[in-house]
């Protein structure tokens, strides 16, 4: 029988992912076309701060510069036990992707009106990963249509639930 390590928490010990931060507004503001998983080049105090569950993707976005993908504007607060070696909270961080993935991203971004949006940051087998989406911005009318569709689906499920219970 395998023994769990002392520092393991919840699903992370089982090989699952522990979500640190999500960009909840991204799915509202963008139509997600394709999703990628990327590693992140971090310094030690950033990893320690992330393990404590501190991060924000509110204004974060990704760019491709000179064949490299960079995550910009992601906020990782300073590690409170850190000393003079602490990191800058909003520095640019390099994303680690395969060359073929970067080439396809560059081609798709140049062809269409697309952008790279981080959806979530999580720990996977002890490594920090970012779920990155190739997305197209939604117009205001698209957002309204999505809300109306969601409300209609919710009303349908309520009506079916009432009918199944014999209330209707």
């Amino acid at each position: 029988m395998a023994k769990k390590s002392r520092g393991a928490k919840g699903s992370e010990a089982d090989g699952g992912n522990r979500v640190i931060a999500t960009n909840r507004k991204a799915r509202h503001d963008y139509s997600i076309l394709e999703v990628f998983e990327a590693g992140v080049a971090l310094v030690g105090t950033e990893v320690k701060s992330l393990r404590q569950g501190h991060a924000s993707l509110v204004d974060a976005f990704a760019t491709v510069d000179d064949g490299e993908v960079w995550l910009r504007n992601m906020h990782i607060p300073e590690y409170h036990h850190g000393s003079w070696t602490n990191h800058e909270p909003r520095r640019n961080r390099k994303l680690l992707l395969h060359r073929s993935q970067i080439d396809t991203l560059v081609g798709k971004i140049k062809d269409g009106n697309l952008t790279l949006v981080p959806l979530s940051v999580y720990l996977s087998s002890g490594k920090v990963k970012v779920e990155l989406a190739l997305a197209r911005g939604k117009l205001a009318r698209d957002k309204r249509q999505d809300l109306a569709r969601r409300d209609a689906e919710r009303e349908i499920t309520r009506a079916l639930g009432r009918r199944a219970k014999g209330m209707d």
Side-chain angles (χ1 to χ4, degrees):
M1 183 174 203
K3 194 175 177 182
K4 285 188 181 180
S5 63
R6 287 179 172 230
K9 292 181 183 172
S11 63
E12 190 181 356
D14 304 331
N17 299 334
R18 191 180 101 195
V19 177
I20 298 166
T22 57
N23 190 352
R24 297 177 64 198
K25 208 165 182 191
R27 295 193 187 273
H28 177 71
D29 291 339
Y30 298 96
S31 298
I32 307 300
L33 304 176
E34 200 171 341
V35 177
F36 298 93
E37 180 184 64
V40 188
L42 299 170
V43 296
T45 54
E46 288 176 323
V47 176
K48 290 179 180 186
S49 186
L50 286 171
R51 286 189 187 281
Q52 290 179 343
H54 303 298
S56 175
L57 290 171
V58 172
D59 296 326
F61 62 98
T63 59
V64 181
D65 300 326
D66 299 327
E68 295 178 338
V69 182
W70 293 88
L71 183 61
R72 303 187 186 279
N73 231 6
M74 180 172 117
H75 185 266
I76 301 175
E78 289 185 351
Y79 182 59
H80 66 278
H81 291 303
S83 60
W84 58 272
T85 59
N86 240 335
H87 62 279
E88 185 182 328
R90 285 200 185 269
R91 73 179 188 91
N92 297 334
R93 295 166 177 92
K94 187 175 180 180
L95 294 179
L96 309 172
L97 290 164
H98 292 285
R99 172 61 47 202
S100 59
Q101 290 176 319
I102 294 173
D103 292 340
T104 57
L105 284 175
V106 168
K108 289 180 179 180
I109 289 172
K110 284 184 179 178
D111 286 347
N113 198 9
L114 304 177
T115 186
L116 287 172
V117 180
L119 297 177
S120 65
V121 177
Y122 55 91
L123 287 169
S124 176
S125 316
K127 308 270 192 272
V128 177
K129 303 285 184 177
V130 173
E131 188 177 34
L132 195 64
L134 189 64
R136 176 173 282 119
K138 285 185 185 177
L139 300 174
R141 66 174 178 259
D142 296 334
K143 294 177 190 178
R144 286 193 296 270
Q145 288 172 352
D146 285 348
L147 287 173
R149 186 180 319 114
R150 218 175 305 139
D151 288 342
E153 288 173 1
R154 193 176 301 130
E155 192 57 40
I156 289 170
T157 56
R158 280 187 193 144
L160 288 173
R162 284 194 298 263
R163 185 174 180 193
K165 292 178 183 174
M167 296 176 160
D168 216 18

